[in-house]
Short mmCIF file of all heavy atoms in Angstrom, two decimals:
data_model
loop_
_atom_site.label_atom_id
_atom_site.label_comp_id
_atom_site.label_asym_id
_atom_site.label_seq_id
_atom_site.Cartn_x
_atom_site.Cartn_y
_atom_site.Cartn_z
N GLN A 16 13.35 21.62 4.86
CA GLN A 16 14.41 21.87 5.84
C GLN A 16 15.74 22.10 5.14
O GLN A 16 16.10 21.36 4.22
CB GLN A 16 14.53 20.68 6.80
CG GLN A 16 15.54 20.88 7.91
CD GLN A 16 15.56 19.72 8.89
OE1 GLN A 16 15.13 18.61 8.58
NE2 GLN A 16 16.07 19.97 10.09
N ARG A 17 16.46 23.12 5.61
CA ARG A 17 17.85 23.29 5.21
C ARG A 17 18.71 22.42 6.12
O ARG A 17 18.39 22.25 7.30
CB ARG A 17 18.29 24.75 5.38
CG ARG A 17 17.84 25.70 4.30
CD ARG A 17 18.59 27.02 4.45
NE ARG A 17 18.10 28.03 3.54
CZ ARG A 17 17.22 28.98 3.88
NH1 ARG A 17 16.75 29.04 5.12
NH2 ARG A 17 16.83 29.87 2.99
N PRO A 18 19.82 21.88 5.60
CA PRO A 18 20.71 21.08 6.45
C PRO A 18 21.17 21.89 7.67
O PRO A 18 21.57 23.04 7.55
CB PRO A 18 21.89 20.76 5.53
CG PRO A 18 21.34 20.86 4.15
CD PRO A 18 20.29 21.94 4.21
N GLY A 19 21.04 21.29 8.84
CA GLY A 19 21.50 21.92 10.06
C GLY A 19 20.56 22.92 10.66
O GLY A 19 20.85 23.50 11.72
N GLU A 20 19.41 23.18 10.01
CA GLU A 20 18.43 24.13 10.53
C GLU A 20 17.16 23.41 10.95
O GLU A 20 16.96 22.24 10.64
CB GLU A 20 18.11 25.20 9.48
CG GLU A 20 19.29 26.10 9.14
CD GLU A 20 18.90 27.23 8.21
OE1 GLU A 20 17.67 27.41 7.93
OE2 GLU A 20 19.80 27.96 7.75
N LYS A 21 16.29 24.12 11.66
CA LYS A 21 15.03 23.53 12.08
C LYS A 21 14.14 23.28 10.86
O LYS A 21 14.18 24.03 9.89
CB LYS A 21 14.31 24.43 13.09
CG LYS A 21 13.70 25.70 12.49
CD LYS A 21 12.97 26.52 13.55
CE LYS A 21 12.19 27.69 12.97
NZ LYS A 21 13.01 28.68 12.29
N PRO A 22 13.33 22.24 10.89
CA PRO A 22 12.40 22.01 9.80
C PRO A 22 11.27 23.03 9.83
O PRO A 22 11.00 23.63 10.88
CB PRO A 22 11.89 20.59 10.05
CG PRO A 22 12.01 20.41 11.53
CD PRO A 22 13.23 21.20 11.94
N ASN A 23 10.63 23.23 8.72
CA ASN A 23 9.53 24.20 8.65
C ASN A 23 8.33 23.58 7.92
O ASN A 23 8.46 22.60 7.19
CB ASN A 23 9.97 25.47 7.93
CG ASN A 23 8.95 26.58 8.09
OD1 ASN A 23 8.52 26.88 9.20
ND2 ASN A 23 8.55 27.18 7.00
N ILE A 24 7.18 24.19 8.15
CA ILE A 24 5.93 23.76 7.50
C ILE A 24 5.26 24.97 6.90
O ILE A 24 5.12 26.02 7.54
CB ILE A 24 4.97 23.10 8.51
CG1 ILE A 24 5.63 21.93 9.23
CG2 ILE A 24 3.70 22.65 7.80
CD1 ILE A 24 4.86 21.46 10.45
N LEU A 25 4.82 24.84 5.67
CA LEU A 25 4.06 25.86 4.95
C LEU A 25 2.74 25.24 4.50
O LEU A 25 2.75 24.16 3.91
CB LEU A 25 4.86 26.33 3.73
CG LEU A 25 4.14 27.19 2.69
CD1 LEU A 25 3.92 28.60 3.23
CD2 LEU A 25 4.93 27.23 1.40
N THR A 26 1.62 25.88 4.79
CA THR A 26 0.35 25.38 4.30
C THR A 26 0.06 25.97 2.93
O THR A 26 0.17 27.18 2.73
CB THR A 26 -0.79 25.72 5.28
OG1 THR A 26 -0.49 25.10 6.54
CG2 THR A 26 -2.12 25.18 4.77
N VAL A 27 -0.27 25.10 1.98
CA VAL A 27 -0.48 25.49 0.59
C VAL A 27 -1.84 24.99 0.13
O VAL A 27 -2.16 23.81 0.29
CB VAL A 27 0.63 24.88 -0.31
CG1 VAL A 27 0.36 25.13 -1.77
CG2 VAL A 27 2.00 25.43 0.07
N ALA A 28 -2.64 25.89 -0.43
CA ALA A 28 -3.92 25.48 -1.01
C ALA A 28 -3.80 25.30 -2.52
O ALA A 28 -4.69 24.72 -3.13
CB ALA A 28 -5.01 26.50 -0.69
N TRP A 29 -2.71 25.79 -3.10
CA TRP A 29 -2.50 25.66 -4.54
C TRP A 29 -1.50 24.54 -4.78
O TRP A 29 -0.31 24.77 -5.00
CB TRP A 29 -2.05 26.98 -5.14
CG TRP A 29 -3.12 28.03 -5.05
CD1 TRP A 29 -4.42 27.84 -4.65
CD2 TRP A 29 -3.00 29.41 -5.33
NE1 TRP A 29 -5.10 29.03 -4.67
CE2 TRP A 29 -4.25 30.02 -5.10
CE3 TRP A 29 -1.94 30.20 -5.77
CZ2 TRP A 29 -4.48 31.37 -5.28
CZ3 TRP A 29 -2.16 31.55 -5.96
CH2 TRP A 29 -3.42 32.13 -5.72
N ALA A 30 -2.00 23.32 -4.73
CA ALA A 30 -1.18 22.13 -4.97
C ALA A 30 -2.01 21.19 -5.84
O ALA A 30 -3.23 21.18 -5.75
CB ALA A 30 -0.83 21.46 -3.65
N GLY A 31 -1.33 20.44 -6.67
CA GLY A 31 -2.10 19.54 -7.52
C GLY A 31 -1.27 18.47 -8.18
O GLY A 31 -0.04 18.51 -8.18
N THR A 32 -1.98 17.51 -8.76
CA THR A 32 -1.37 16.44 -9.53
C THR A 32 -1.16 16.92 -10.96
O THR A 32 -2.06 17.54 -11.53
CB THR A 32 -2.29 15.21 -9.52
OG1 THR A 32 -2.44 14.77 -8.17
CG2 THR A 32 -1.73 14.10 -10.36
N VAL A 33 -0.01 16.68 -11.53
CA VAL A 33 0.25 17.12 -12.91
C VAL A 33 0.61 15.99 -13.86
O VAL A 33 0.51 16.15 -15.07
CB VAL A 33 1.35 18.21 -12.96
CG1 VAL A 33 0.88 19.48 -12.25
CG2 VAL A 33 2.66 17.72 -12.37
N CYS A 34 1.02 14.83 -13.33
CA CYS A 34 1.40 13.72 -14.19
C CYS A 34 1.35 12.43 -13.38
O CYS A 34 1.67 12.44 -12.19
CB CYS A 34 2.81 13.95 -14.74
SG CYS A 34 3.32 12.77 -16.01
N SER A 35 0.96 11.33 -14.05
CA SER A 35 0.90 10.05 -13.34
C SER A 35 2.13 9.18 -13.57
O SER A 35 2.48 8.37 -12.72
CB SER A 35 -0.37 9.28 -13.73
OG SER A 35 -0.43 9.08 -15.12
N ASP A 36 2.80 9.33 -14.70
CA ASP A 36 3.99 8.53 -14.97
C ASP A 36 5.01 9.36 -15.75
O ASP A 36 4.83 9.56 -16.95
CB ASP A 36 3.62 7.26 -15.76
CG ASP A 36 4.79 6.30 -15.91
OD1 ASP A 36 5.81 6.50 -15.20
OD2 ASP A 36 4.70 5.38 -16.73
N PRO A 37 6.04 9.90 -15.09
CA PRO A 37 6.34 9.71 -13.67
C PRO A 37 5.35 10.47 -12.80
O PRO A 37 4.74 11.45 -13.25
CB PRO A 37 7.76 10.30 -13.53
CG PRO A 37 7.82 11.35 -14.60
CD PRO A 37 7.02 10.80 -15.75
N ALA A 38 5.20 10.00 -11.57
CA ALA A 38 4.29 10.67 -10.63
C ALA A 38 4.85 12.06 -10.32
O ALA A 38 5.97 12.19 -9.82
CB ALA A 38 4.16 9.85 -9.35
N MET A 39 4.07 13.09 -10.68
CA MET A 39 4.52 14.47 -10.45
C MET A 39 3.40 15.31 -9.87
O MET A 39 2.22 15.08 -10.13
CB MET A 39 5.02 15.09 -11.76
CG MET A 39 6.29 14.46 -12.29
SD MET A 39 6.94 15.32 -13.74
CE MET A 39 7.53 16.84 -12.98
N VAL A 40 3.80 16.29 -9.07
CA VAL A 40 2.87 17.22 -8.44
C VAL A 40 3.39 18.64 -8.60
O VAL A 40 4.52 18.85 -9.05
CB VAL A 40 2.70 16.90 -6.93
CG1 VAL A 40 2.01 15.57 -6.71
CG2 VAL A 40 4.05 16.93 -6.23
N SER A 41 2.56 19.59 -8.21
CA SER A 41 3.01 20.98 -8.21
C SER A 41 2.54 21.66 -6.93
O SER A 41 1.51 21.29 -6.36
CB SER A 41 2.45 21.75 -9.42
OG SER A 41 1.05 21.93 -9.28
N VAL A 42 3.32 22.63 -6.48
CA VAL A 42 2.90 23.54 -5.42
C VAL A 42 3.28 24.94 -5.87
O VAL A 42 4.36 25.15 -6.45
CB VAL A 42 3.53 23.23 -4.04
CG1 VAL A 42 3.02 21.90 -3.49
CG2 VAL A 42 5.05 23.23 -4.10
N SER A 43 2.39 25.89 -5.65
CA SER A 43 2.67 27.29 -6.01
C SER A 43 2.88 28.09 -4.74
O SER A 43 2.05 28.06 -3.83
CB SER A 43 1.52 27.87 -6.83
OG SER A 43 1.46 27.24 -8.10
N ILE A 44 4.02 28.82 -4.69
CA ILE A 44 4.43 29.52 -3.46
C ILE A 44 4.88 30.93 -3.81
O ILE A 44 5.58 31.14 -4.80
CB ILE A 44 5.59 28.76 -2.77
CG1 ILE A 44 5.19 27.29 -2.50
CG2 ILE A 44 6.00 29.44 -1.48
CD1 ILE A 44 6.34 26.43 -1.99
N ARG A 45 4.50 31.88 -2.98
CA ARG A 45 4.97 33.26 -3.15
C ARG A 45 6.46 33.34 -2.81
O ARG A 45 6.89 32.78 -1.79
CB ARG A 45 4.21 34.21 -2.23
CG ARG A 45 2.76 34.44 -2.62
CD ARG A 45 2.11 35.42 -1.62
NE ARG A 45 0.71 35.62 -1.93
CZ ARG A 45 0.25 36.59 -2.71
NH1 ARG A 45 1.10 37.43 -3.28
NH2 ARG A 45 -1.04 36.72 -2.93
N PRO A 46 7.26 34.03 -3.61
CA PRO A 46 8.71 34.10 -3.34
C PRO A 46 9.07 34.70 -1.98
O PRO A 46 10.14 34.41 -1.46
CB PRO A 46 9.23 34.98 -4.48
CG PRO A 46 8.26 34.76 -5.59
CD PRO A 46 6.93 34.61 -4.92
N GLU A 47 8.18 35.52 -1.41
CA GLU A 47 8.50 36.13 -0.11
C GLU A 47 8.27 35.19 1.07
O GLU A 47 8.66 35.52 2.20
CB GLU A 47 7.70 37.43 0.09
CG GLU A 47 6.20 37.28 0.06
CD GLU A 47 5.61 37.52 -1.32
OE1 GLU A 47 6.32 37.34 -2.34
OE2 GLU A 47 4.42 37.90 -1.38
N ARG A 48 7.67 34.04 0.83
CA ARG A 48 7.44 33.11 1.93
C ARG A 48 8.76 32.49 2.39
O ARG A 48 9.65 32.21 1.59
CB ARG A 48 6.46 31.99 1.51
CG ARG A 48 5.06 32.46 1.14
CD ARG A 48 4.30 33.12 2.28
NE ARG A 48 4.02 32.23 3.38
CZ ARG A 48 2.88 31.59 3.56
NH1 ARG A 48 1.91 31.70 2.68
NH2 ARG A 48 2.71 30.82 4.62
N TYR A 49 8.87 32.25 3.69
CA TYR A 49 10.09 31.72 4.29
C TYR A 49 10.51 30.39 3.66
O TYR A 49 11.69 30.13 3.41
CB TYR A 49 9.86 31.56 5.80
CG TYR A 49 11.01 30.94 6.56
CD1 TYR A 49 12.23 31.60 6.69
CD2 TYR A 49 10.86 29.70 7.18
CE1 TYR A 49 13.28 31.04 7.40
CE2 TYR A 49 11.90 29.13 7.90
CZ TYR A 49 13.10 29.81 8.01
OH TYR A 49 14.14 29.25 8.71
#
């Protein structure tokens, strides 16, 4: 969500765990997606 705007949801199948300490994840998104 941007401040002052409606929240949004994007479904992502390319997401994963990348590190346990610190706890880190990744999501891959096309630049043209809202």
Side-chain angles (χ1 to χ4, degrees):
Q16 184 176 21
R17 282 192 186 98
E20 294 186 7
K21 73 178 188 297
N23 191 51
I24 304 166
L25 168 74
T26 300
V27 173
W29 294 352
T32 298
V33 295
C34 188
S35 56
D36 188 13
M39 293 186 71
V40 293
S41 70
V42 293
S43 292
I44 305 172
R45 290 180 182 268
E47 60 266 26
R48 297 297 296 263
Y49 176 67

